[in-house]
PDB file of all heavy atoms in Angstrom:
ATOM      1  N   GLY I  77       8.088 -10.515 -10.501  1.00 83.00           N
ATOM      2  CA  GLY I  77       8.868 -10.441 -11.756  1.00 83.00           C
ATOM      3  C   GLY I  77      10.415 -10.638 -11.435  1.00 83.00           C
ATOM      4  O   GLY I  77      10.761 -11.292 -10.479  1.00 83.00           O
ATOM      5  N   PRO I  78      11.365 -10.009 -12.304  1.00 79.00           N
ATOM      6  CA  PRO I  78      12.705 -10.227 -12.050  1.00 79.00           C
ATOM      7  C   PRO I  78      13.263  -9.905 -10.644  1.00 79.00           C
ATOM      8  O   PRO I  78      14.170 -10.526 -10.232  1.00 79.00           O
ATOM      9  CB  PRO I  78      13.338  -9.393 -13.183  1.00 79.00           C
ATOM     10  CG  PRO I  78      12.296  -9.188 -14.210  1.00 79.00           C
ATOM     11  CD  PRO I  78      11.003  -9.177 -13.397  1.00 79.00           C
ATOM     12  N   TYR I  79      12.719  -8.887  -9.988  1.00 80.00           N
ATOM     13  CA  TYR I  79      13.201  -8.420  -8.742  1.00 80.00           C
ATOM     14  C   TYR I  79      12.343  -8.712  -7.615  1.00 80.00           C
ATOM     15  O   TYR I  79      12.527  -8.331  -6.511  1.00 80.00           O
ATOM     16  CB  TYR I  79      13.556  -6.906  -8.859  1.00 80.00           C
ATOM     17  CG  TYR I  79      14.589  -6.733  -9.900  1.00 80.00           C
ATOM     18  CD1 TYR I  79      14.190  -6.310 -11.224  1.00 80.00           C
ATOM     19  CD2 TYR I  79      15.903  -6.944  -9.721  1.00 80.00           C
ATOM     20  CE1 TYR I  79      15.128  -6.165 -12.255  1.00 80.00           C
ATOM     21  CE2 TYR I  79      16.854  -6.876 -10.750  1.00 80.00           C
ATOM     22  CZ  TYR I  79      16.385  -6.412 -11.979  1.00 80.00           C
ATOM     23  OH  TYR I  79      17.395  -6.327 -12.994  1.00 80.00           O
ATOM     24  N   MET I  80      11.282  -9.494  -7.845  1.00 88.00           N
ATOM     25  CA  MET I  80      10.417 -10.067  -6.764  1.00 88.00           C
ATOM     26  C   MET I  80      10.083 -11.472  -7.194  1.00 88.00           C
ATOM     27  O   MET I  80       9.151 -11.795  -7.979  1.00 88.00           O
ATOM     28  CB  MET I  80       9.183  -9.262  -6.631  1.00 88.00           C
ATOM     29  CG  MET I  80       8.099  -9.764  -5.586  1.00 88.00           C
ATOM     30  SD  MET I  80       8.702  -9.871  -3.929  1.00 88.00           S
ATOM     31  CE  MET I  80       8.537  -8.139  -3.418  1.00 88.00           C
ATOM     32  N   SER I  81      10.912 -12.460  -6.744  1.00 89.00           N
ATOM     33  CA  SER I  81      10.686 -13.861  -7.132  1.00 89.00           C
ATOM     34  C   SER I  81       9.489 -14.414  -6.441  1.00 89.00           C
ATOM     35  O   SER I  81       8.929 -13.854  -5.426  1.00 89.00           O
ATOM     36  CB  SER I  81      11.963 -14.626  -6.801  1.00 89.00           C
ATOM     37  OG  SER I  81      12.087 -14.641  -5.391  1.00 89.00           O
ATOM     38  N   GLU I  82       9.054 -15.593  -7.018  1.00 92.00           N
ATOM     39  CA  GLU I  82       7.937 -16.353  -6.335  1.00 92.00           C
ATOM     40  C   GLU I  82       8.336 -16.617  -4.825  1.00 92.00           C
ATOM     41  O   GLU I  82       7.556 -16.494  -3.922  1.00 92.00           O
ATOM     42  CB  GLU I  82       7.644 -17.637  -6.996  1.00 92.00           C
ATOM     43  CG  GLU I  82       6.902 -17.469  -8.295  1.00 92.00           C
ATOM     44  CD  GLU I  82       6.546 -18.867  -8.893  1.00 92.00           C
ATOM     45  OE1 GLU I  82       6.398 -19.804  -8.062  1.00 92.00           O
ATOM     46  OE2 GLU I  82       6.436 -18.929 -10.141  1.00 92.00           O
ATOM     47  N   ALA I  83       9.602 -17.047  -4.646  1.00 93.00           N
ATOM     48  CA  ALA I  83      10.113 -17.436  -3.315  1.00 93.00           C
ATOM     49  C   ALA I  83       9.993 -16.234  -2.351  1.00 93.00           C
ATOM     50  O   ALA I  83       9.611 -16.387  -1.215  1.00 93.00           O
ATOM     51  CB  ALA I  83      11.469 -18.056  -3.402  1.00 93.00           C
ATOM     52  N   ARG I  84      10.481 -15.098  -2.909  1.00 93.00           N
ATOM     53  CA  ARG I  84      10.464 -13.900  -2.003  1.00 93.00           C
ATOM     54  C   ARG I  84       9.019 -13.483  -1.611  1.00 93.00           C
ATOM     55  O   ARG I  84       8.751 -13.255  -0.385  1.00 93.00           O
ATOM     56  CB  ARG I  84      11.273 -12.813  -2.653  1.00 93.00           C
ATOM     57  CG  ARG I  84      11.324 -11.546  -1.840  1.00 93.00           C
ATOM     58  CD  ARG I  84      12.179 -10.416  -2.588  1.00 93.00           C
ATOM     59  NE  ARG I  84      12.241  -9.224  -1.814  1.00 93.00           N
ATOM     60  CZ  ARG I  84      13.201  -8.902  -0.946  1.00 93.00           C
ATOM     61  NH1 ARG I  84      14.155  -9.791  -0.715  1.00 93.00           N
ATOM     62  NH2 ARG I  84      13.282  -7.791  -0.366  1.00 93.00           N
ATOM     63  N   LEU I  85       8.105 -13.418  -2.574  1.00 95.00           N
ATOM     64  CA  LEU I  85       6.789 -13.099  -2.297  1.00 95.00           C
ATOM     65  C   LEU I  85       6.109 -14.086  -1.383  1.00 95.00           C
ATOM     66  O   LEU I  85       5.329 -13.746  -0.527  1.00 95.00           O
ATOM     67  CB  LEU I  85       5.954 -12.848  -3.612  1.00 95.00           C
ATOM     68  CG  LEU I  85       4.555 -12.370  -3.474  1.00 95.00           C
ATOM     69  CD1 LEU I  85       4.490 -11.078  -2.559  1.00 95.00           C
ATOM     70  CD2 LEU I  85       4.038 -12.043  -4.880  1.00 95.00           C
ATOM     71  N   HIS I  86       6.402 -15.312  -1.678  1.00 96.00           N
ATOM     72  CA  HIS I  86       5.911 -16.477  -0.797  1.00 96.00           C
ATOM     73  C   HIS I  86       6.264 -16.253   0.639  1.00 96.00           C
ATOM     74  O   HIS I  86       5.524 -16.339   1.653  1.00 96.00           O
ATOM     75  CB  HIS I  86       6.356 -17.793  -1.381  1.00 96.00           C
ATOM     76  CG  HIS I  86       5.730 -18.968  -0.681  1.00 96.00           C
ATOM     77  ND1 HIS I  86       6.125 -19.406   0.628  1.00 96.00           N
ATOM     78  CD2 HIS I  86       4.709 -19.839  -1.027  1.00 96.00           C
ATOM     79  CE1 HIS I  86       5.369 -20.464   0.917  1.00 96.00           C
ATOM     80  NE2 HIS I  86       4.530 -20.728  -0.079  1.00 96.00           N
ATOM     81  N   ALA I  87       7.533 -15.853   0.853  1.00 95.00           N
ATOM     82  CA  ALA I  87       8.092 -15.642   2.206  1.00 95.00           C
ATOM     83  C   ALA I  87       7.443 -14.374   2.913  1.00 95.00           C
ATOM     84  O   ALA I  87       7.032 -14.355   4.101  1.00 95.00           O
ATOM     85  CB  ALA I  87       9.584 -15.421   2.219  1.00 95.00           C
ATOM     86  N   ILE I  88       7.121 -13.337   1.980  1.00 96.00           N
ATOM     87  CA  ILE I  88       6.428 -12.199   2.554  1.00 96.00           C
ATOM     88  C   ILE I  88       5.070 -12.508   3.028  1.00 96.00           C
ATOM     89  O   ILE I  88       4.653 -12.138   4.172  1.00 96.00           O
ATOM     90  CB  ILE I  88       6.399 -11.099   1.529  1.00 96.00           C
ATOM     91  CG1 ILE I  88       7.746 -10.468   1.247  1.00 96.00           C
ATOM     92  CG2 ILE I  88       5.483  -9.878   1.939  1.00 96.00           C
ATOM     93  CD1 ILE I  88       7.812  -9.562   0.016  1.00 96.00           C
ATOM     94  N   CYS I  89       4.283 -13.282   2.172  1.00 97.00           N
ATOM     95  CA  CYS I  89       2.862 -13.696   2.507  1.00 97.00           C
ATOM     96  C   CYS I  89       2.926 -14.629   3.800  1.00 97.00           C
ATOM     97  O   CYS I  89       2.020 -14.435   4.620  1.00 97.00           O
ATOM     98  CB  CYS I  89       2.286 -14.348   1.335  1.00 97.00           C
ATOM     99  SG  CYS I  89       2.060 -13.227  -0.079  1.00 97.00           S
ATOM    100  N   LYS I  90       3.850 -15.500   3.799  1.00 97.00           N
ATOM    101  CA  LYS I  90       3.963 -16.432   4.942  1.00 97.00           C
ATOM    102  C   LYS I  90       4.165 -15.629   6.208  1.00 97.00           C
ATOM    103  O   LYS I  90       3.529 -15.920   7.244  1.00 97.00           O
ATOM    104  CB  LYS I  90       5.097 -17.412   4.718  1.00 97.00           C
ATOM    105  CG  LYS I  90       5.258 -18.473   5.794  1.00 97.00           C
ATOM    106  CD  LYS I  90       6.323 -19.524   5.391  1.00 97.00           C
ATOM    107  CE  LYS I  90       6.382 -20.627   6.387  1.00 97.00           C
ATOM    108  NZ  LYS I  90       6.958 -20.277   7.675  1.00 97.00           N
ATOM    109  N   ARG I  91       5.107 -14.638   6.158  1.00 96.00           N
ATOM    110  CA  ARG I  91       5.393 -13.874   7.435  1.00 96.00           C
ATOM    111  C   ARG I  91       4.142 -13.080   7.776  1.00 96.00           C
ATOM    112  O   ARG I  91       3.841 -12.905   8.995  1.00 96.00           O
ATOM    113  CB  ARG I  91       6.595 -13.002   7.168  1.00 96.00           C
ATOM    114  CG  ARG I  91       6.996 -12.245   8.378  1.00 96.00           C
ATOM    115  CD  ARG I  91       7.593 -13.120   9.493  1.00 96.00           C
ATOM    116  NE  ARG I  91       8.034 -12.551  10.662  1.00 96.00           N
ATOM    117  CZ  ARG I  91       7.652 -12.913  11.869  1.00 96.00           C
ATOM    118  NH1 ARG I  91       6.824 -13.968  12.002  1.00 96.00           N
ATOM    119  NH2 ARG I  91       8.057 -12.227  12.956  1.00 96.00           N
ATOM    120  N   ALA I  92       3.470 -12.506   6.762  1.00 97.00           N
ATOM    121  CA  ALA I  92       2.236 -11.664   7.013  1.00 97.00           C
ATOM    122  C   ALA I  92       1.198 -12.485   7.848  1.00 97.00           C
ATOM    123  O   ALA I  92       0.595 -12.094   8.798  1.00 97.00           O
ATOM    124  CB  ALA I  92       1.665 -11.122   5.795  1.00 97.00           C
ATOM    125  N   VAL I  93       1.011 -13.791   7.401  1.00 98.00           N
ATOM    126  CA  VAL I  93      -0.035 -14.606   8.011  1.00 98.00           C
ATOM    127  C   VAL I  93       0.513 -14.978   9.474  1.00 98.00           C
ATOM    128  O   VAL I  93      -0.289 -15.161  10.342  1.00 98.00           O
ATOM    129  CB  VAL I  93      -0.203 -15.885   7.143  1.00 98.00           C
ATOM    130  CG1 VAL I  93      -0.985 -16.949   7.902  1.00 98.00           C
ATOM    131  CG2 VAL I  93      -0.884 -15.570   5.866  1.00 98.00           C
TER     132      VAL I  93
END
Side-chain angles (χ1 to χ4, degrees):
Y79 301 96
M80 175 64 77
S81 66
E82 283 186 29
R84 183 179 178 88
L85 183 50
H86 188 280
I88 291 171
C89 294
K90 184 174 184 293
R91 186 65 181 132
V93 171

